[in-house]
Amino acid sequence: MSDHKKERNKQLDLLRVLATFAVIKLHSGTWNFTDKIVQYMCGFAVPIFFMISGALILGRSDQISKKYVFTRSFRLLRLIFMWSLLLLIPICIINRTIPNLVTFFTSSFFQQKPLWQFWYLWPLLFLTLCSPLIWRIFQNKRVTKIYIAVLFFINCTISLICIYAGIVGRENPESLVPQSMRMYSHLLYFSLGGILFRYCQFDLIKSCIQKHSRFILSVMLFFSIGIAMVQYCICYVTHVTSQEYCYSNPIIILYNILLFECIFNLKTYKILENKLFHALCLDSLGIYIMHPYLSSVLRRLGVWTADHCVFNFVILCLFSLLVVEIMRRIPFIRGTIKL
């Protein structure tokens, strides 16, 4: 087991918590232009999730074993299967009929209800299976540079094709591909996470970021507004509404790299040592899984209001954290919210 596995990396935990909150904001609705900009500011969530996974899997100092790949793949499939069964039973009781089991169990792959949020686990499963090969590539720096350059070129080309299609009034080609199958961008971010974790920990950069952390974070905040405007323009030109179609854009790729590096090289503040932050780290996957279902509960209770997105976000965060904390303390339920 690699050294970074023995002790939790607080910076990666912070990135995970930020990405989790960003996902909740993405699903809290938009009411006006300001809400849309804030939503686009949260567009880093999915790329950062893949970069964190890449850092933890590809950043290992020892070779990735078949046992590790099998264990992690089994846990991913087990999580999808458990939730499929948990939701299948009440659906059969309510509808008094058994749905098409093939369609039901594959609904998460195609990002369809009731398991649409589990789409993320399918590309993560594929990347886990490919991780031994990618790890071997990383042993040769020259081959690694060529590998990343090819992935970057493919993503930039796809982004330009989508922009051109929008300009000439055609449908965005990426909208025809389920998000779980856009492996060109998932593979790039996953690989970048591993590279940044393994090769880009320079003392000069780290000391500079830690010395001027408040200033750099303030600049990044204002910079993120500009990036949000870029995403808004891309979506407007390509006739789509979601930031997920911007992940392949070179500007967005570079921004996510910069964001990852800035947060990853921060010094460990006291806030990263308190119990609330520790709970958020442990509950991040559970919050991600539960928040769509809890938002439906809030809608039925009349608490969710379409024109109060900030209120929706705060209530959903608190409600999700409370429910997941309770679930984590129940032994036979705990396994449904962790890998």
Side-chain angles (χ1 to χ4, degrees):
M1 186 176 288
S2 56
D3 293 336
H4 71 275
K5 281 281 187 175
K6 295 178 182 177
E7 184 178 346
R8 293 187 71 94
N9 186 296
K10 299 295 183 183
Q11 286 72 23
L12 287 181
D13 280 340
L14 178 58
L15 280 166
R16 185 183 290 106
V17 170
L18 290 174
T20 302
F21 283 135
V23 167
I24 294 177
K25 180 62 188 81
L26 291 175
H27 302 147
S28 297
T30 57
W31 178 247
N32 51 38
F33 180 75
T34 303
D35 288 332
K36 287 185 179 294
I37 294 302
V38 173
Q39 182 167 0
Y40 286 122
M41 287 174 67
C42 295
F44 66 86
V46 172
I48 289 296
F49 272 136
F50 280 112
M51 292 177 80
I52 293 170
S53 296
L56 293 173
I57 297 175
L58 301 176
R60 298 162 63 92
S61 57
D62 53 340
Q63 187 172 358
I64 300 173
S65 64
K66 293 180 180 178
K67 181 181 178 181
Y68 173 82
V69 172
F70 175 80
T71 302
R72 187 171 178 84
S73 300
F74 173 77
R75 288 176 179 175
L76 289 167
L77 288 171
R78 182 188 63 182
L79 194 63
I80 297 172
F81 185 72
M82 279 194 304
W83 275 96
S84 298
L85 284 179
L86 283 172
L87 293 173
L88 177 63
I89 295 171
I91 287 175
C92 291
I93 294 173
I94 294 172
N95 297 333
R96 296 181 180 179
T97 182
I98 300 176
N100 186 307
L101 295 180
V102 175
T103 303
F104 185 84
F105 281 105
T106 57
S107 61
S108 58
F109 181 82
F110 296 102
Q111 210 169 352
Q112 297 174 352
K113 292 182 179 181
L115 298 160
W116 62 265
Q117 74 272 34
F118 285 85
W119 74 266
Y120 168 75
L121 300 183
W122 289 105
L124 188 57
L125 172 64
F126 175 79
L127 292 169
T128 300
L129 294 173
C130 294
S131 60
L133 175 60
I134 302 172
W135 189 90
R136 285 181 176 274
I137 290 174
F138 283 5
Q139 304 314 300
N140 187 314
K141 290 188 177 182
R142 182 173 177 273
V143 176
T144 300
K145 291 176 182 178
I146 296 172
Y147 166 74
I148 291 297
V150 170
L151 283 178
F152 188 79
F153 175 76
I154 292 172
N155 278 269
C156 292
T157 302
I158 291 173
S159 178
L160 289 174
I161 290 172
C162 293
I163 291 174
Y164 175 76
I167 292 173
V168 298
R170 295 183 179 178
E171 186 178 6
N172 187 328
E174 276 195 308
S175 64
L176 304 175
V177 182
Q179 193 170 185
S180 57
M181 295 181 66
R182 296 174 202 156
M183 291 307 304
Y184 45 87
S185 65
H186 305 329
L187 183 58
L188 174 62
Y189 285 113
F190 182 77
S191 302
L192 284 172
I195 288 175
L196 293 174
F197 192 87
R198 286 173 66 96
Y199 299 123
C200 299
Q201 298 187 45
F202 302 113
D203 292 336
L204 180 62
I205 296 176
K206 190 168 187 175
S207 61
C208 180
I209 292 176
Q210 291 185 354
K211 186 177 180 180
H212 307 287
S213 57
R214 292 184 180 180
F215 173 75
I216 291 174
L217 289 176
S218 299
V219 171
M220 284 298 297
L221 179 61
F222 284 104
F223 189 47
S224 66
I225 298 174
I227 293 297
M229 294 297 296
V230 170
Q231 293 183 85
Y232 179 83
C233 293
I234 293 172
C235 290
Y236 179 80
V237 170
T238 54
H239 311 295
V240 293
T241 57
S242 175
Q243 74 293 327
E244 70 184 64
Y245 301 105
C246 302
Y247 297 155
S248 299
N249 187 276
I251 298 175
I252 306 306
I253 293 172
L254 294 175
Y255 168 73
N256 286 319
I257 292 174
L258 183 61
L259 178 63
F260 184 93
E261 273 293 279
C262 286
I263 302 297
F264 183 70
N265 287 293
L266 281 178
K267 61 183 178 182
T268 304
Y269 289 100
K270 289 184 179 179
I271 192 173
L272 303 184
E273 302 288 348
N274 65 32
K275 293 182 179 179
L276 177 60
F277 179 77
H278 182 66
L280 287 171
C281 296
L282 296 177
D283 295 342
S284 57
L285 178 60
I287 292 172
Y288 173 81
I289 292 173
M290 292 300 298
H291 83 273
Y293 306 127
L294 297 178
S295 66
S296 299
V297 172
L298 292 174
R299 284 188 178 92
R300 291 183 179 276
L301 294 174
V303 178
W304 192 276
T305 53
D307 55 343
H308 291 89
C309 301
V310 176
F311 178 78
N312 294 345
F313 170 72
V314 173
I315 290 297
L316 187 54
C317 286
L318 293 175
F319 192 27
S320 298
L321 179 59
L322 176 62
V323 171
V324 173
E325 266 293 298
I326 294 172
M327 292 175 68
R328 188 162 61 86
R329 297 174 190 280
I330 304 174
F332 59 90
I333 295 181
R334 187 185 304 154
T336 62
I337 54 171
K338 71 172 186 177
L339 285 175

